[in-house]
Amino acid sequence: MGLDDFVTTFGQYCRQQFGQRLQKLTLDARFTCPNRDGTLGRGGCTFCNVASFSHEHGTDLSIAAQLEAGKQKMRAKASRFLAYFQAYTSTYEEYAELKRKYDEALQSEQVVGLCVGTRPDCVPDRVLDLLAQYQQNGSEVWLELGLQTAHDATLKRINRGHDFAAYQDAVCRARSRGLKVCTHLILGLPGEGLIEHQQTLEAVLNAGVDGLKLHPLHIVAGSTMAKAWEAGRLQPPTLEEYVTSAAQLIRHTPKEIVFHRVTAYASRPVLLAPDWCAQRWIGLVALVNELAAKGGQGSGLINLNQ
């Protein structure tokens, strides 16, 4: 058995819509973030690796060159691709420059759409209109919003620089234009456990969502959280804790919602903790086993607080 047996995966969604797998090609378009350029702050979110904010750690390749390199690497896995603007805040730039970069990605052969990762407080109407226009012209478009949690106290604690109301507003404006929204959630943030995770899911479902990405909190070198972890003031979730929460959220998610990701891993030496996040398949296998034992997507109770 695999994950496809228990959730609606992004791979399943692509096969239903396109008759084949689509491979996301990750891009670094040299965007910045209001939480690091001084608009909101300079330290970034507490879970971020501050060193990675420097463009010396990025790439000088053009969008087209990055896509071509990605296609060559993934050509054995897929023949059609999505340009994934992942690094930093991919709607946070002058409109003309944003449009230039998006246009360049869509001009690349075999690229059939965009996945645009950003913050809920950085999606002006003009940019949403542009993304909606691409979609109306036949491109596959996903707006990926990094929410992490629906709890304002936690958002403040991790220095996100926005509240849940900003997320609700962004989702309302995006979905009113027909755009698909994928929401990113971190399980295991300081002060949060299963109850808080369930409450976040309920709030996200009530706001309206088309896709979800789940991943465990992991401590990376250079982050503010790394200092707290080194001082013994912070512990990331154990594998058992993460699997319990992720499986519970999956069971309480309607089957029409697409899971783009259900766990994550990082490489040493950037990863400090937890150890299990250094292995790509450990979290996924444990989660599939839990779902096999207790039920998959859409099998949970409506009342998330039970």
Side-chain angles (χ1 to χ4, degrees):
M1 280 192 252
L3 187 63
D4 284 359
D5 294 306
F6 304 104
V7 306
T8 303
T9 64
F10 188 68
Q12 286 177 323
Y13 166 83
C14 291
R15 288 191 291 272
Q16 292 168 0
Q17 298 296 316
F18 294 90
Q20 62 180 287
R21 174 179 178 171
L22 300 183
Q23 180 69 43
K24 291 183 180 181
L25 300 180
T26 301
L27 300 172
D28 181 352
R30 301 179 69 83
F31 293 115
T32 184
C33 173
N35 211 11
R36 63 167 289 254
D37 70 358
T39 301
L40 293 175
R42 293 192 178 277
C45 304
T46 61
F47 53 81
C48 285
N49 178 355
V50 177
S52 71
F53 289 154
S54 172
H55 284 315
E56 69 186 17
H57 296 277
T59 178
D60 291 326
L61 293 177
S62 67
I63 299 296
Q66 290 181 61
L67 288 171
E68 187 58 34
K71 285 187 287 186
Q72 291 301 315
K73 183 177 180 180
M74 295 296 178
R75 61 184 176 181
K77 295 183 177 181
S79 61
R80 302 174 81 183
F81 305 91
L82 294 170
Y84 183 18
F85 288 90
Q86 180 186 41
Y88 313 109
T89 303
S90 300
T91 56
Y92 185 63
E93 195 164 26
E94 291 294 330
Y95 176 84
E97 186 63 10
L98 282 176
K99 186 176 185 303
R100 183 189 69 78
K101 292 177 179 179
Y102 297 159
D103 285 349
E104 183 178 355
L106 289 172
Q107 288 169 3
S108 181
E109 187 178 2
Q110 299 172 305
V111 171
V112 299
L114 305 174
C115 295
V116 179
T118 189
R119 295 165 52 94
D121 56 344
C122 291
V123 282
D125 286 338
R126 194 179 184 191
V127 174
L128 292 177
D129 290 340
L130 175 63
L131 295 177
Q133 182 179 345
Y134 291 134
Q135 183 167 273
Q136 291 162 8
N137 291 338
S139 294
E140 177 74 9
V141 179
W142 282 85
L143 180 69
E144 300 202 15
L145 295 178
L147 172 62
Q148 322 311 351
T149 176
H151 295 274
D152 284 345
T154 305
L155 289 170
K156 183 175 181 180
R157 184 175 184 177
I158 63 176
N159 196 41
R160 281 294 291 173
H162 66 78
D163 58 12
F164 183 65
Y167 168 82
Q168 292 172 303
D169 174 67
V171 169
C172 180
R173 290 185 291 112
R175 298 186 89 228
S176 72
R177 291 166 167 80
L179 290 170
K180 295 180 290 293
V181 173
C182 175
T183 299
H184 296 210
L185 302 178
I186 295 177
L187 306 185
L189 290 169
E192 294 199 358
L194 178 57
I195 291 176
E196 288 75 22
H197 302 157
Q198 292 174 325
Q199 291 169 341
T200 287
L201 177 65
E202 186 171 27
V204 166
L205 294 178
N206 287 339
V209 71
D210 306 281
L212 290 172
K213 278 189 176 181
L214 307 180
H215 64 88
L217 175 69
H218 49 275
I219 311 302
V220 296
S223 67
T224 301
M225 281 188 180
K227 298 176 183 178
W229 175 78
E230 289 164 352
R233 301 193 307 272
L234 174 65
Q235 290 298 322
T238 64
L239 176 59
E240 181 180 4
E241 289 170 338
Y242 179 75
V243 166
T244 297
S245 282
Q248 185 78 334
L249 267 58
I250 287 170
R251 285 193 291 269
H252 288 93
T253 300
K255 290 185 178 181
E256 64 269 19
I257 292 177
V258 179
F259 278 89
H260 291 230
R261 185 178 66 202
V262 295
T263 188
Y265 74 101
S267 301
R268 309 282 189 187
V270 173
L271 176 71
L272 300 179
D275 290 339
W276 62 270
C277 281
Q279 301 294 325
R280 182 184 184 99
W281 301 111
I282 287 180
L284 181 59
V285 170
L287 180 56
V288 168
N289 289 339
E290 175 72 8
L291 294 171
K294 298 182 181 178
Q297 186 175 1
S299 64
L301 301 172
I302 294 175
N303 183 356
L304 299 180
N305 293 314
Q306 291 186 3

